[in-house]
Amino acid sequence: MRLTPFLAFCSAVLAAAAEPSKRPPNIVLLYADDIGWGDLGCYGAKVIPTPNLDRLAAEGLRFTAGYCTSATCTPSRYSLLTGEYAWRRKGTGVLPGDANMIIKPGRPTLPASLANLGYATGVVGKWHLGLGGEVVDWNKPINPCPNQIGFTYSYIMAATGDRVPTVFVENGGVVGLDPKDPIEVSYKKPFPGDPDLTTDAERAKLKMDWSHGHNMALVNGVGRIGWMKGGKAALWNDETMGDVFADKACAFIATNKDKPFFLYYASHENHVPRVHHPRYAGRTPLGPRGDAVVAFDDQAGRILAELDKHGLAENTLVIYTSDNGPVLDDGYKDQAVERNQAAGHRPAGPFRGGKYSILEGGTRVGFIARWPGRAPAGKVSEALMSQVDLPAVFTKVAGGDPAEFLRLDGVDTGAALTGGPGRETIISSTQANILSIRDERWKFIPGWGAPGKAKNAAAKATGPLVALLGSEDDLERDRRDQTGPRLFDLQNDPAERKNVAAEHPDIVARLRAKLEEQKAKGVALPLPQ
Ligand code: NG6
Ligand code: CA
């Protein structure tokens, strides 16, 4: 039967109305902090129950070669939100809590791109990209804050749980601040009356003792980095922080359920201090570090349930990934090293290294994409994925033009979300701006001179890091080899134990040239401010 043009038009309109996927998909990014490749059940963890992330993987596509761009937080988040490698720019290392904002208003960002396409864009959780201009006054509206670079809603902590100020900031204002008790922050010296947390007497009173750093301000029985004064009514509570963030995330979804939205859920789990609600205690044999991963999984579960509740799951792309690899002792005595060893848990899975390291464990992290009807459910992909591409990929998913993110570092790897190929190469970096480059099979790390000058984790490894870097023999070999070029066959040697640079000078030359080409671009191009 042939339809008249009018009837054909009507049936097209009805079909479009009935098909929710005509509305651009919502995007939810579940971003973990310091959670390693091997910390989730779906990535092989035996002693940490993560039913919600496992469900996400069962309903979506689980990547085995997903990467953050750096082995620490600030640079990874900088790349995630700008689509630009942080090593191209000075001042993008781990920031103090009173740093000014390093993403300048006006430059292209992931949230601004989606907001321009009509999305409600929310960030909830850990920020750590600085706030305000030269000097931050916590007692006035903070500008710039995430709302000036494209987020329509923000509920954040300024930096990390272990840095002052230990308060939440909603849309640029400190939550619950009593104007009669203004906040002052100093990263230089204590305020009169601050206890000296380096003394045995004061340490004995702490809820959780420090192992290195973390001996300045005393907040909620825990030592922090930096000092602060005032703001008593606004101080957060570490035990309920995860619930507060999950509440805010769910409220953002409920408020915006009738239009496309992007939620960047930047959980604080499992960053230090690992002080959680008592309901998590003992859920794993790993102590507070395990509790934290369980808490993260719970938060993810609440957000997924909120999508289900509003019938949004079908038209929502959910991505899980993490800002850097795992760390055991990151400055507090929370038994992570001892318990981990006893339980035989491998937080970086089959890889060596972790947070701070140029080895795979530093930047190769969990990466899951659930997109009903698009991402093949329950499948595993070996495609190379980088978080630096997410501004381009999400912009395209939202129906926009990703050109501004493809100019320098972004690659449109959207096809990988539906089971297609990913990147050809991935560059990783550390805090000390050591770079590595990998392709499908090989990974190249340039050498950096005399052992005494070596700047990587192996050279500086203390007891806790040794646990992630392998045996003493491994460490000794790392120390010896890192002075010259290193080449690893990731397919056959995922733990990067056998340097084959001498056997393959051609591959070394090819990857070195690729890396140099990328570095040269950073110098040549006028980068946006
Ligand atoms: C380090 C802190 C560590 C953590 C890290 C940043 C000390 C001794 N160590 O300087 O605890 O805060 O910075 O972590 O203070 S990140 O995940 O935000 O990059
Ligand atoms: Ca981190």
Side-chain angles (χ1 to χ4, degrees):
M1 188 185 78
R2 287 188 59 219
L3 294 175
T4 66
F6 177 71
L7 276 179
F9 170 77
C10 289
S11 71
V13 168
L14 283 173
E19 202 187 325
S21 62
K22 291 289 175 207
R23 176 178 130 176
N26 312 303
I27 302 171
V28 172
L29 177 60
L30 301 171
Y31 205 57
D33 196 353
D34 301 358
I35 292 187
W37 194 98
D39 276 325
L40 307 180
C42 52
Y43 279 90
K46 299 270 185 291
V47 295
I48 310 180
T50 53
N52 295 298
L53 273 310
D54 297 352
R55 172 189 153 201
L56 196 73
E59 294 171 353
L61 187 57
R62 183 173 70 82
F63 292 88
T64 57
Y67 289 80
C68 50
T69 65
S70 167
T72 47
C73 164
T74 301
S76 284
R77 285 163 206 253
Y78 178 87
S79 300
L80 169 74
L81 294 185
T82 63
E84 177 188 274
Y85 284 127
W87 49 260
R88 295 192 184 281
R89 195 179 290 273
K90 282 200 168 64
T92 54
V94 171
L95 295 175
D98 61 351
N100 63 306
M101 198 151 95
I102 60 171
I103 300 178
K104 302 297 174 210
R107 66 156 299 152
T109 67
L110 164 58
S113 171
L114 296 180
N116 287 338
L117 293 165
Y119 275 59
T121 50
V123 52
V124 174
K126 176 178 168 184
W127 182 241
H128 211 184
L129 291 161
L131 286 172
E134 284 305 305
V135 179
V136 196
D137 182 342
W138 303 95
N139 308 293
K140 297 200 175 121
I142 298 165
N143 188 334
C145 74
N147 300 50
Q148 274 74 47
I149 62 150
F151 284 105
T152 58
Y153 176 73
S154 61
Y155 192 100
I156 55 168
M157 66 165 65
T160 58
D162 57 350
R163 284 173 176 75
V164 298
T166 46
V167 294
F168 298 128
V169 180
E170 186 171 30
N171 297 324
V174 171
V175 178
L177 180 66
D178 175 358
K180 293 196 287 298
D181 183 26
I183 294 176
E184 279 178 68
V185 168
S186 167
Y187 273 75
K188 295 204 174 72
K189 55 179 187 348
F191 292 98
D194 273 340
D196 181 354
L197 300 187
T198 63
T199 62
D200 288 349
E202 293 297 339
R203 288 180 80 168
K205 294 187 222 159
L206 293 171
K207 190 183 286 183
M208 182 183 274
D209 196 6
W210 52 269
S211 58
H212 50 278
H214 306 117
N215 52 18
M216 298 167 230
L218 173 67
V219 182
N220 191 22
V222 180
R224 319 273 167 165
I225 308 174
W227 289 273
M228 75 178 281
K229 189 180 151 197
K232 289 274 178 298
L235 295 180
W236 71 48
N237 179 290
D238 304 84
E239 284 83 348
T240 54
M241 178 184 290
D243 295 329
V244 171
F245 285 156
D247 285 348
K248 297 293 167 190
C250 290
F252 173 80
I253 292 173
T255 306
N256 295 291
K257 63 181 171 22
D258 297 325
K259 53 176 169 265
F261 60 80
F262 166 56
L263 169 64
Y264 168 36
Y265 184 69
S267 170
H268 190 252
E269 323 299 351
N270 66 16
H271 199 278
V272 295
R274 298 173 183 130
V275 175
H276 292 93
H277 196 278
R279 71 178 184 270
Y280 295 113
R283 296 271 293 276
T284 79
L286 301 177
R289 185 174 186 280
D291 300 350
V293 181
V294 174
F296 176 75
D297 187 73
D298 259 17
Q299 293 158 31
R302 283 196 53 198
I303 291 168
L304 296 179
E306 191 71 19
L307 294 175
D308 289 339
K309 181 171 140 191
H310 300 292
L312 297 168
E314 279 300 304
N315 193 33
T316 301
L317 165 62
V318 180
I319 301 263
Y320 158 80
T321 188
S322 181
D323 74 333
N324 51 250
V327 59
L328 297 175
D329 181 339
D330 208 13
Y332 292 92
K333 292 185 181 172
D334 60 10
Q335 296 184 294
V337 177
E338 304 85 315
R339 298 262 202 142
N340 204 82
Q341 213 156 13
H345 174 61
R346 303 192 57 173
F351 311 111
R352 285 198 307 126
K355 183 174 181 176
Y356 311 115
S357 167
I358 198 63
L359 296 179
E360 287 294 277
T363 51
R364 189 158 171 173
V365 289
F367 198 113
I368 304 169
R370 186 186 77 175
W371 197 6
R374 309 294 297 272
K379 292 273 188 312
V380 176
S381 169
E382 292 178 0
L384 302 191
M385 294 300 270
S386 171
Q387 292 172 13
V388 78
D389 299 332
L390 291 181
V393 170
F394 288 173
T395 297
K396 202 153 165 207
V397 162
D401 176 2
E404 64 191 1
F405 300 116
L406 301 177
R407 201 162 56 86
L408 194 55
D409 293 323
V411 175
D412 178 9
T413 48
L417 299 181
T418 56
R423 281 180 153 251
E424 285 175 12
T425 56
I426 297 260
I427 296 178
S428 291
S429 68
T430 70
Q431 175 79 355
N433 275 351
I434 296 164
L435 303 185
S436 74
I437 185 166
R438 72 158 292 186
D439 64 13
E440 204 183 330
R441 177 167 178 191
W442 304 99
K443 171 165 167 187
F444 168 67
I445 313 173
W448 53 85
K453 294 213 160 157
K455 323 177 253 188
N456 87 334
K460 294 198 288 190
T462 53
L465 253 177
V466 173
L468 291 166
L469 286 166
S471 65
E472 285 295 341
D473 284 352
D474 287 329
L475 261 175
E476 195 41 51
R477 196 181 46 248
D478 289 345
R479 286 199 185 100
R480 192 185 62 230
D481 285 2
Q482 70 192 4
T483 57
R486 282 186 286 176
L487 184 73
F488 297 108
D489 177 350
L490 290 178
Q491 267 165 22
N492 297 302
D493 178 25
E496 298 164 280
R497 288 201 160 92
K498 192 170 180 332
N499 178 11
V500 293
E503 283 97 308
H504 299 287
D506 51 331
I507 300 171
V508 167
R510 176 169 59 80
L511 288 176
R512 190 194 291 279
K514 276 208 155 90
L515 188 58
E516 288 305 324
E517 182 191 305
Q518 284 302 317
K519 282 162 73 177
K521 275 191 196 168
V523 182
L525 281 183
L527 297 174
Q529 277 308 296

